[in-house]
Amino acid sequence: MGDWNAFHLMPWSGAYAIYFFLIGISAAMYFFSALSWYRPEFKEMRLTSLYISFALLGIGGVLLIEDLSQPLRFLNMLNPAYLHFTSPLAWGSLALCSFGLVSVTYLYVIYKKQDEALAKKLAVIGALIALGLPIYTGFDLSAHQNRPVWNTPLMPVLFVALSLLSAAALAAFIAKGEALLVMLRSIMLWTAVAVAAMLVSMLGTTAYGGVTSELTFMFMTTGSLGMIFIGLGILVGTVAPIGVLLTNMGKQQGGMMLAGALLLVGGLALRYSILIGGQIVQTYY
């Protein structure tokens, strides 16, 4: 009897990786804006980072809605009677809507320049909600018990770190003050080191986690997906920027921008390869 394979579709398309990427940067950029009330280094970025956060939130929302087979179904997430509160997606929907409302209100209050105390409160509330966005995306993956790579308690932590790392990388292109650049370099360097450590842990547990995990490890470290994960995500997008930031060039804005560009490429590549890696084995049986 001849061998044959039944190829199945992946329910989570690559577009979700772009959504994870954009929404993570949006959340961390809002955090930088909120931080400006308590750390003077970030004051110059208060409005700019908020504008970027709001724009990326809008683009990410459009991508999320467009991916639905029936886009008008997004209205269901506005209906509390419809939400299933044992699902991470329900809490993610609430976080997205709440974050959007707080962002609009915060932007309006800052624009009016009339109530600084209210602006600070909205900054803190929005930052706490923003933290929930990468947590919910990571937890939504980790809740899938039978998917290698995804099913690890590290996933929400990794997504929070990637969000902070990508936002700091983007901020390196618009920062001007010397104190802010020093702060951003520290965030980029140490967060990249933390991401690298989590990736090593994830690879180790996947390589020795049983047959399905071992197959996933093989797919993620060889072939086209291996080029994205190992080549772009780890070597180009994590290890190389750490090396740049450790040099004297990495202490100047030009070097930070180079490291930032590499980190942005790596951030998207890691999200894509993790998303696809958790589903790729199912396409072969």
Side-chain angles (χ1 to χ4, degrees):
M1 181 180 295
D3 294 331
W4 58 277
N5 287 323
F7 293 90
H8 303 283
L9 296 176
M10 297 183 187
W12 295 61
S13 68
Y16 280 95
I18 301 175
Y19 164 72
F20 292 160
F21 180 67
L22 296 179
I23 209 68
I25 297 177
S26 174
M29 277 295 187
Y30 188 101
F31 174 75
F32 289 159
S33 178
L35 196 59
S36 69
W37 296 101
Y38 304 96
R39 293 298 298 259
E41 303 97 318
F42 286 89
K43 188 174 181 179
E44 68 176 79
M45 286 186 57
R46 182 176 297 164
L47 271 175
T48 305
S49 58
L50 182 57
Y51 289 146
I52 294 173
S53 171
F54 190 72
L56 295 181
L57 177 64
I59 297 171
V62 170
L63 285 175
L64 200 60
I65 293 170
E66 191 276 334
D67 190 69
L68 297 173
S69 57
Q70 298 182 37
L72 288 179
R73 283 182 175 175
F74 88 94
L75 294 173
N76 291 331
M77 74 181 189
L78 305 178
N79 180 8
Y82 183 86
L83 295 177
H84 196 304
F85 289 100
T86 60
S87 168
L89 288 177
W91 292 102
S93 299
L94 291 175
L96 281 170
C97 293
S98 301
F99 184 55
L101 290 174
V102 173
S103 295
V104 171
T105 308
Y106 179 46
L107 183 59
Y108 175 78
V109 171
I110 289 182
Y111 180 76
K112 285 294 185 180
K113 299 180 180 179
Q114 294 178 350
D115 195 337
E116 184 173 308
L118 178 58
K120 287 184 178 180
K121 291 177 182 178
L122 289 170
V124 173
I125 293 171
L128 292 174
I129 297 174
L131 178 62
L133 297 181
I135 289 177
Y136 112 77
T137 51
F139 185 74
D140 194 34
L141 296 184
S142 66
H144 292 74
Q145 298 180 4
N146 296 317
R147 292 193 184 276
V149 179
W150 290 10
N151 185 223
T152 168
L154 274 180
M155 198 56 62
V157 182
L158 177 61
F159 270 58
V160 170
L162 285 172
S163 296
L164 185 61
L165 184 58
S166 298
L170 181 59
F173 287 87
I174 58 177
K176 297 178 180 178
E178 184 66 28
L180 177 58
L181 289 170
V182 170
M183 181 68 71
L184 290 174
R185 177 182 174 274
S186 295
I187 293 174
M188 292 164 64
L189 177 59
W190 295 112
T191 309
V193 170
V195 167
M198 285 186 275
L199 291 175
V200 170
S201 175
M202 186 181 72
L203 283 172
T205 55
T206 303
Y208 299 98
V211 175
T212 306
S213 293
E214 290 171 8
L215 285 172
T216 300
F217 177 83
M218 180 189 72
F219 284 122
M220 292 187 67
T221 55
T222 59
S224 58
L225 188 57
M227 289 294 295
I228 296 173
F229 181 56
I230 301 295
L232 292 179
I234 296 180
L235 297 180
V236 173
T238 305
V239 176
I242 291 174
V244 171
L245 291 170
L246 288 174
T247 65
N248 290 328
M249 182 177 69
K251 297 178 181 180
Q252 303 171 4
Q253 187 165 17
M256 289 178 60
M257 290 171 65
L258 172 60
L262 295 175
L263 287 169
L264 288 170
V265 171
L268 181 56
L270 288 173
R271 289 172 173 91
Y272 176 83
S273 53
I274 288 171
L275 180 70
I276 300 303
Q279 305 175 88
I280 194 168
V281 172
Q282 74 184 50
T283 64
Y284 286 88
Y285 65 88

mmCIF file of all heavy atoms in Angstrom, residues 17-18 33-34 45-46 70 81 83 95 97 101 114 119 130 134 137 150 154 158 207 214 223 240 249 275 283-284:
data_model
loop_
_atom_site.group_PDB
_atom_site.id
_atom_site.type_symbol
_atom_site.label_atom_id
_atom_site.label_comp_id
_atom_site.label_asym_id
_atom_site.label_seq_id
_atom_site.Cartn_x
_atom_site.Cartn_y
_atom_site.Cartn_z
ATOM 1 N N ALA A 17 0.264 36.875 12.706
ATOM 2 C CA ALA A 17 1.597 37.268 13.173
ATOM 3 C C ALA A 17 1.787 38.771 13.020
ATOM 4 O O ALA A 17 2.388 39.422 13.887
ATOM 5 C CB ALA A 17 2.669 36.515 12.389
ATOM 6 N N ILE A 18 1.275 39.326 11.915
ATOM 7 C CA ILE A 18 1.353 40.772 11.713
ATOM 8 C C ILE A 18 0.514 41.479 12.772
ATOM 9 O O ILE A 18 0.923 42.507 13.325
ATOM 10 C CB ILE A 18 0.874 41.151 10.300
ATOM 11 C CG1 ILE A 18 1.726 40.445 9.242
ATOM 12 C CG2 ILE A 18 0.912 42.665 10.104
ATOM 13 C CD1 ILE A 18 1.261 40.671 7.821
ATOM 14 N N SER A 33 4.346 56.366 26.494
ATOM 15 C CA SER A 33 3.649 57.634 26.686
ATOM 16 C C SER A 33 3.253 57.816 28.152
ATOM 17 O O SER A 33 3.421 58.896 28.722
ATOM 18 C CB SER A 33 2.406 57.697 25.794
ATOM 19 O OG SER A 33 1.693 58.900 25.995
ATOM 20 N N ALA A 34 2.729 56.750 28.748
ATOM 21 C CA ALA A 34 2.347 56.816 30.164
ATOM 22 C C ALA A 34 3.568 57.026 31.054
ATOM 23 O O ALA A 34 3.514 57.755 32.051
ATOM 24 C CB ALA A 34 1.615 55.536 30.563
ATOM 25 N N MET A 45 8.526 61.961 24.019
ATOM 26 C CA MET A 45 7.805 60.971 23.227
ATOM 27 C C MET A 45 6.330 60.853 23.615
ATOM 28 O O MET A 45 5.630 60.010 23.071
ATOM 29 C CB MET A 45 8.453 59.583 23.398
ATOM 30 C CG MET A 45 9.761 59.411 22.672
ATOM 31 S SD MET A 45 10.326 57.704 22.797
ATOM 32 C CE MET A 45 8.936 56.832 22.104
ATOM 33 N N ARG A 46 5.865 61.682 24.532
ATOM 34 C CA ARG A 46 4.523 61.505 25.066
ATOM 35 C C ARG A 46 3.455 61.474 23.972
ATOM 36 O O ARG A 46 2.657 60.537 23.909
ATOM 37 C CB ARG A 46 4.197 62.615 26.070
ATOM 38 C CG ARG A 46 2.820 62.485 26.712
ATOM 39 C CD ARG A 46 2.621 63.557 27.756
ATOM 40 N NE ARG A 46 3.575 63.411 28.841
ATOM 41 C CZ ARG A 46 3.852 64.362 29.729
ATOM 42 N NH1 ARG A 46 3.251 65.548 29.645
ATOM 43 N NH2 ARG A 46 4.730 64.153 30.694
ATOM 44 N N GLN A 70 -16.692 36.270 8.064
ATOM 45 C CA GLN A 70 -17.799 37.225 8.035
ATOM 46 C C GLN A 70 -17.399 38.412 8.914
ATOM 47 O O GLN A 70 -17.612 38.394 10.127
ATOM 48 C CB GLN A 70 -19.089 36.580 8.550
ATOM 49 C CG GLN A 70 -19.555 35.402 7.706
ATOM 50 C CD GLN A 70 -20.861 34.817 8.223
ATOM 51 O OE1 GLN A 70 -21.740 35.540 8.681
ATOM 52 N NE2 GLN A 70 -20.983 33.504 8.126
ATOM 53 N N ALA A 81 -23.528 39.657 26.220
ATOM 54 C CA ALA A 81 -24.313 38.425 26.297
ATOM 55 C C ALA A 81 -23.748 37.336 25.392
ATOM 56 O O ALA A 81 -24.028 36.152 25.594
ATOM 57 C CB ALA A 81 -25.770 38.714 25.928
ATOM 58 N N LEU A 83 -20.338 36.958 24.725
ATOM 59 C CA LEU A 83 -18.964 36.590 25.080
ATOM 60 C C LEU A 83 -18.927 35.359 25.984
ATOM 61 O O LEU A 83 -19.746 35.203 26.885
ATOM 62 C CB LEU A 83 -18.273 37.751 25.774
ATOM 63 C CG LEU A 83 -18.059 39.008 24.922
ATOM 64 C CD1 LEU A 83 -17.427 40.106 25.750
ATOM 65 C CD2 LEU A 83 -17.194 38.707 23.705
ATOM 66 N N ALA A 95 -10.292 43.670 26.235
ATOM 67 C CA ALA A 95 -9.079 44.478 26.393
ATOM 68 C C ALA A 95 -8.880 45.400 25.194
ATOM 69 O O ALA A 95 -8.520 46.576 25.353
ATOM 70 C CB ALA A 95 -7.868 43.564 26.572
ATOM 71 N N CYS A 97 -11.192 46.582 23.065
ATOM 72 C CA CYS A 97 -12.201 47.648 23.073
ATOM 73 C C CYS A 97 -11.897 48.674 24.162
ATOM 74 O O CYS A 97 -11.968 49.889 23.927
ATOM 75 C CB CYS A 97 -13.592 47.052 23.281
ATOM 76 S SG CYS A 97 -14.170 46.029 21.912
ATOM 77 N N LEU A 101 -10.922 52.737 23.727
ATOM 78 C CA LEU A 101 -11.682 53.818 24.367
ATOM 79 C C LEU A 101 -10.795 54.677 25.258
ATOM 80 O O LEU A 101 -10.870 55.912 25.231
ATOM 81 C CB LEU A 101 -12.832 53.219 25.190
ATOM 82 C CG LEU A 101 -13.977 52.583 24.386
ATOM 83 C CD1 LEU A 101 -14.961 51.895 25.319
ATOM 84 C CD2 LEU A 101 -14.696 53.647 23.555
ATOM 85 N N GLN A 114 -5.918 70.578 29.850
ATOM 86 C CA GLN A 114 -6.668 71.233 30.921
ATOM 87 C C GLN A 114 -6.657 70.458 32.237
ATOM 88 O O GLN A 114 -6.836 71.038 33.296
ATOM 89 C CB GLN A 114 -8.126 71.453 30.486
ATOM 90 C CG GLN A 114 -8.276 72.446 29.340
ATOM 91 C CD GLN A 114 -9.717 72.613 28.902
ATOM 92 O OE1 GLN A 114 -10.598 71.864 29.319
ATOM 93 N NE2 GLN A 114 -9.954 73.598 28.049
ATOM 94 N N ALA A 119 -5.183 63.137 33.060
ATOM 95 C CA ALA A 119 -4.307 62.544 32.040
ATOM 96 C C ALA A 119 -3.408 61.474 32.650
ATOM 97 O O ALA A 119 -3.208 60.399 32.063
ATOM 98 C CB ALA A 119 -3.469 63.628 31.375
ATOM 99 N N ALA A 130 -3.027 47.976 28.391
ATOM 100 C CA ALA A 130 -2.078 47.669 27.321
ATOM 101 C C ALA A 130 -1.243 46.440 27.655
ATOM 102 O O ALA A 130 -0.950 45.615 26.779
ATOM 103 C CB ALA A 130 -1.168 48.874 27.074
ATOM 104 N N PRO A 134 -0.456 41.933 24.997
ATOM 105 C CA PRO A 134 0.486 40.845 24.696
ATOM 106 C C PRO A 134 0.291 39.633 25.600
ATOM 107 O O PRO A 134 0.553 38.500 25.188
ATOM 108 C CB PRO A 134 1.861 41.484 24.906
ATOM 109 C CG PRO A 134 1.622 42.649 25.799
ATOM 110 C CD PRO A 134 0.249 43.152 25.453
ATOM 111 N N THR A 137 -2.578 37.616 24.008
ATOM 112 C CA THR A 137 -2.190 36.933 22.773
ATOM 113 C C THR A 137 -1.299 35.726 23.078
ATOM 114 O O THR A 137 -1.442 34.655 22.470
ATOM 115 C CB THR A 137 -1.459 37.899 21.819
ATOM 116 O OG1 THR A 137 -0.406 38.567 22.518
ATOM 117 C CG2 THR A 137 -2.417 38.941 21.284
ATOM 118 N N TRP A 150 3.566 26.311 21.392
ATOM 119 C CA TRP A 150 2.546 27.180 21.972
ATOM 120 C C TRP A 150 2.303 26.869 23.451
ATOM 121 O O TRP A 150 2.174 27.774 24.261
ATOM 122 C CB TRP A 150 1.224 27.028 21.225
ATOM 123 C CG TRP A 150 1.201 27.583 19.843
ATOM 124 C CD1 TRP A 150 2.269 28.035 19.117
ATOM 125 C CD2 TRP A 150 0.056 27.731 19.004
ATOM 126 N NE1 TRP A 150 1.868 28.449 17.879
ATOM 127 C CE2 TRP A 150 0.518 28.274 17.780
ATOM 128 C CE3 TRP A 150 -1.299 27.451 19.165
ATOM 129 C CZ2 TRP A 150 -0.361 28.558 16.725
ATOM 130 C CZ3 TRP A 150 -2.161 27.731 18.122
ATOM 131 C CH2 TRP A 150 -1.707 28.273 16.920
ATOM 132 N N LEU A 154 5.707 30.122 29.286
ATOM 133 C CA LEU A 154 6.591 31.211 28.874
ATOM 134 C C LEU A 154 5.972 32.104 27.810
ATOM 135 O O LEU A 154 6.409 33.247 27.626
ATOM 136 C CB LEU A 154 7.900 30.637 28.311
ATOM 137 C CG LEU A 154 9.028 30.303 29.281
ATOM 138 C CD1 LEU A 154 10.214 29.746 28.509
ATOM 139 C CD2 LEU A 154 9.438 31.526 30.074
ATOM 140 N N LEU A 158 6.982 35.850 26.974
ATOM 141 C CA LEU A 158 7.735 36.095 25.744
ATOM 142 C C LEU A 158 7.077 37.179 24.908
ATOM 143 O O LEU A 158 7.750 38.062 24.371
ATOM 144 C CB LEU A 158 7.846 34.797 24.936
ATOM 145 C CG LEU A 158 8.540 34.892 23.571
ATOM 146 C CD1 LEU A 158 9.983 35.369 23.730
ATOM 147 C CD2 LEU A 158 8.490 33.560 22.842
ATOM 148 N N ALA A 207 12.602 20.263 21.556
ATOM 149 C CA ALA A 207 13.452 19.223 20.971
ATOM 150 C C ALA A 207 13.311 17.886 21.690
ATOM 151 O O ALA A 207 13.501 16.825 21.087
ATOM 152 C CB ALA A 207 14.907 19.666 20.987
ATOM 153 N N GLU A 214 9.195 16.906 18.669
ATOM 154 C CA GLU A 214 10.447 16.734 17.931
ATOM 155 C C GLU A 214 10.260 17.040 16.452
ATOM 156 O O GLU A 214 11.145 17.614 15.809
ATOM 157 C CB GLU A 214 10.955 15.308 18.134
ATOM 158 C CG GLU A 214 11.453 15.048 19.561
ATOM 159 C CD GLU A 214 11.750 13.574 19.809
ATOM 160 O OE1 GLU A 214 11.718 12.796 18.835
ATOM 161 O OE2 GLU A 214 12.013 13.215 20.972
ATOM 162 N N GLY A 223 14.728 23.959 6.624
ATOM 163 C CA GLY A 223 13.861 24.391 5.534
ATOM 164 C C GLY A 223 13.535 25.876 5.586
ATOM 165 O O GLY A 223 14.236 26.681 6.205
ATOM 166 N N ALA A 240 22.421 39.280 16.534
ATOM 167 C CA ALA A 240 23.151 40.384 15.893
ATOM 168 C C ALA A 240 22.890 41.731 16.570
ATOM 169 O O ALA A 240 23.839 42.493 16.823
ATOM 170 C CB ALA A 240 22.807 40.443 14.404
ATOM 171 N N MET A 249 29.606 51.536 18.722
ATOM 172 C CA MET A 249 28.633 52.026 17.748
ATOM 173 C C MET A 249 27.210 51.912 18.291
ATOM 174 O O MET A 249 26.351 52.744 18.011
ATOM 175 C CB MET A 249 28.753 51.235 16.435
ATOM 176 C CG MET A 249 27.801 51.718 15.340
ATOM 177 S SD MET A 249 28.000 50.830 13.779
ATOM 178 C CE MET A 249 27.372 49.211 14.252
ATOM 179 N N LEU A 275 3.938 31.182 15.451
ATOM 180 C CA LEU A 275 2.538 30.957 15.064
ATOM 181 C C LEU A 275 2.408 29.776 14.108
ATOM 182 O O LEU A 275 1.571 28.891 14.302
ATOM 183 C CB LEU A 275 1.980 32.224 14.414
ATOM 184 C CG LEU A 275 0.529 32.149 13.946
ATOM 185 C CD1 LEU A 275 -0.422 32.091 15.125
ATOM 186 C CD2 LEU A 275 0.182 33.344 13.060
ATOM 187 N N THR A 283 -0.433 19.639 9.321
ATOM 188 C CA THR A 283 -0.626 19.660 7.871
ATOM 189 C C THR A 283 -0.079 18.402 7.192
ATOM 190 O O THR A 283 -0.238 18.242 5.985
ATOM 191 C CB THR A 283 0.045 20.893 7.245
ATOM 192 O OG1 THR A 283 1.465 20.817 7.437
ATOM 193 C CG2 THR A 283 -0.491 22.175 7.875
ATOM 194 N N TYR A 284 0.578 17.533 7.985
ATOM 195 C CA TYR A 284 1.178 16.344 7.396
ATOM 196 C C TYR A 284 0.498 15.041 7.814
ATOM 197 O O TYR A 284 0.999 13.967 7.528
ATOM 198 C CB TYR A 284 2.667 16.278 7.799
ATOM 199 C CG TYR A 284 3.486 17.290 7.057
ATOM 200 C CD1 TYR A 284 3.647 18.587 7.553
ATOM 201 C CD2 TYR A 284 4.106 16.982 5.855
ATOM 202 C CE1 TYR A 284 4.388 19.532 6.873
ATOM 203 C CE2 TYR A 284 4.858 17.920 5.156
ATOM 204 C CZ TYR A 284 4.993 19.188 5.669
ATOM 205 O OH TYR A 284 5.732 20.125 4.979
#
